[in-house]
């Protein structure tokens, strides 16, 4: 049996050696399994690539695929899945937040045959800023309400999957990728393994609050058309309100002979409706811009350097 590990790395020179040592330790304990370590260098600006090349010199299990620029973690994971050949494939961060020591237990669960994938879920958000936790919770609530794909609160990308599931994910070739949604969308039986949140060993997180915010909006528009329904609903609501108002003004004019009044309120109403219209056009625009990107069918990533023969490009 062969296990492929997909590891997206972006400026991870500090944590990579620690991570690799731990991987070597864990893999030596799992003698019955062959390993393939696919490090995806996502256009790092530090020594990440040369560190990976050093690993590869002494260890033929290490394969690296270096992108021509930073394409983002989603593209890096996709490149890893497209190039993984193992019976089982795991995706994990290079910063030790996804502890390799959990692998033996995850493999055991897959071996039992009952599940197709083992995913991890952190039970605490210890060590995370309070505001970030709050917004993260809100995001999961909204996401689960508006989309029919299950996105588990606290779910990490760290998971081990059988070949069938990886193939299904590779077949989903959309440019706007949101893995948490994709994992849920393809289905398959998933075992959720809870664990305590671990902080990254070295280096800094690549996710600013703004980047996370954009990512979450992307997640919602990728897996739900509810925002579009909200704009249709607002259209109907305001039409009804205007009907009621028309009757009101009409009756008032007939009964009190007082038709011309309320210029300020009229301006407020016009501005309000104008705002709502722009907001709705914006929502439609979000979807159209996604369609625009999808129709271009640009490659997901561009490989600049690799030690893998016949690297799959998508
Ligand atoms: N990563 C990547 N490309 C990016 C940003 C991040 O490949 O543009 C990798 C990064 O090297 C790490 C993983 O994705 O292995 C998770 O990133 P990070 O630890 O910064 O995110 P967090 O754990 O804070 O959510
Ligand atoms: Mg991390």
């Amino acid at each position: 049996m062969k296990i492929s590990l997909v590891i997206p790395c972006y400026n991870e020179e500090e944590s990579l050696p620690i991570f690799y040592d731990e991987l070597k330790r864990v893999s030596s304990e799992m003698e019955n399994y062959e390993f393939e370590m696919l490090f995806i260098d996502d256009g790092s600006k530090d020594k990440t690539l040369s560190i990976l090349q050093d690993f590869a010199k002494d260890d033929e299990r290490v394969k690296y695929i270096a992108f021509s620029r930073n394409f983002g973690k989603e593209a890096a994971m996709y490149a890893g899945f497209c190039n993984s050949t193992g019976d089982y494939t795991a995706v994990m961060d290079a910063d030790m937040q996804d502890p390799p020591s959990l692998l033996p237990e995850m493999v055991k669960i897959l071996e039992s045959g009952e599940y197709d994938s083992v995913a991890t879920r952190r039970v605490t958000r210890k060590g995370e800023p309070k505001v970030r936790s709050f917004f993260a919770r809100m995001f999961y609530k909204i996401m689960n309400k508006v989309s029919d794909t299950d996105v588990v609160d606290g779910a990490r990308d760290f998971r081990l999957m059988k070949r069938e599931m990886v193939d299904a994910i590779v077949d989903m070739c959309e440019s706007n990728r949101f893995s948490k949604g994709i994992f849920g969308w393809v289905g398959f039986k998933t075992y959720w393994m809870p664990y305590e949140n671990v902080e990254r060993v070295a280096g800094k997180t690549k996710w600013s609050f703004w980047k996370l915010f954009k990512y979450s909006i992307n997640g919602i528009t990728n897996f739900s058309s509810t925002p579009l329904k909200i704009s249709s609903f607002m259209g109907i609501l305001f039409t009804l309100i205007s009907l009621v108002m028309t009757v009101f003004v009409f009756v008032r004019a007939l009964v009190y002979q007082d038709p011309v009044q309320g210029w300020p309120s009229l301006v407020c109403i016009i501005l309000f409706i104008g705002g709502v219209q722009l907001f709705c056009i914006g929502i439609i625009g979000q979807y159209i811009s996604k369609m625009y990107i999808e129709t271009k069918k640009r490659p997901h990533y561009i490989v600049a350097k690799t030690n893998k023969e016949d690297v799959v490009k998508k």
Side-chain angles (χ1 to χ4, degrees), residues 111-289:
E111 296 279 75
S112 75
E114 208 184 319
Y115 294 96
D116 302 300
S117 112
V118 182
T120 55
R121 183 173 71 84
R122 43 182 179 172
V123 278
T124 55
R125 287 185 170 272
K126 213 170 54 194
E128 201 185 52
K130 287 248 158 29
V131 193
R132 194 164 145 172
S133 302
F134 171 75
F135 278 100
R137 290 228 168 79
M138 277 241 300
F139 165 71
Y140 286 111
K141 270 205 193 115
I142 296 174
M143 185 74 191
N144 280 315
K145 274 237 165 67
V146 301
S147 76
D148 19 87
T149 341
D150 257 355
V151 183
V152 175
D153 186 3
R156 291 195 56 90
D157 288 332
F158 182 28
R159 59 165 72 214
L160 184 72
M161 294 169 278
K162 283 192 179 160
R163 191 73 246 163
E164 295 83 358
M165 185 162 174
V166 179
D167 288 341
I169 292 169
V170 170
D171 280 343
M172 289 184 73
C173 50
E174 59 213 62
S175 302
N176 291 293
R177 301 188 74 77
F178 180 69
S179 281
K180 287 188 167 71
I182 291 177
F183 291 145
W185 194 90
V186 294
F188 293 99
K189 272 194 94 172
T190 301
Y191 177 84
W192 286 98
M193 200 158 106
Y195 78 106
E196 288 272 324
N197 190 26
V198 193
E199 291 194 43
R200 66 159 43 240
V201 280
K204 272 197 301 242
T205 175
K206 275 87 204 171
W207 294 88
S208 62
F209 185 78
W210 179 236
K211 237 174 140 184
L212 275 177
F213 181 73
K214 283 202 293 194
Y215 185 64
S216 58
I217 297 286
N218 194 22
I220 292 175
T221 46
N222 273 359
F223 282 91
S224 154
S225 55
T226 303
L228 286 173
K229 286 179 198 134
I230 292 176
S231 64
S232 322
F233 173 76
M234 282 210 272
I236 295 171
L237 183 73
F238 285 113
T239 313
L240 288 180
I241 292 177
S242 80
L243 278 179
V244 173
M245 293 274 284
T246 312
V247 173
F248 173 72
V249 171
F250 200 68
V251 170
R252 196 176 61 169
L254 281 184
V255 177
Y256 299 101
Q257 271 88 41
D258 182 20
V260 211
Q261 217 178 47
W263 186 84
S265 57
L266 195 65
V267 172
C268 292
I269 292 168
I270 289 176
L271 284 179
F272 178 68
I273 304 289
V276 171
Q277 277 177 338
L278 285 179
F279 176 70
C280 293
I281 292 175
I283 292 180
I284 299 170
Q286 285 290 319
Y287 285 90
I288 294 180
S289 74

Side-chain angles (χ1 to χ4, degrees), residues 7-12 40 42 70-73 76 92-95 97 132 156 200 204-207 211:
I7 307 128
C9 313
Y10 178 51
N11 296 342
E12 297 285 5
I40 318 292
D42 186 10
N70 180 247
F71 279 86
K73 188 186 173 188
M92 54 204 312
D93 289 2
D95 58 3
Q97 281 192 295
R132 194 164 145 172
R156 291 195 56 90
R200 66 159 43 240
K204 272 197 301 242
T205 175
K206 275 87 204 171
W207 294 88
K211 237 174 140 184

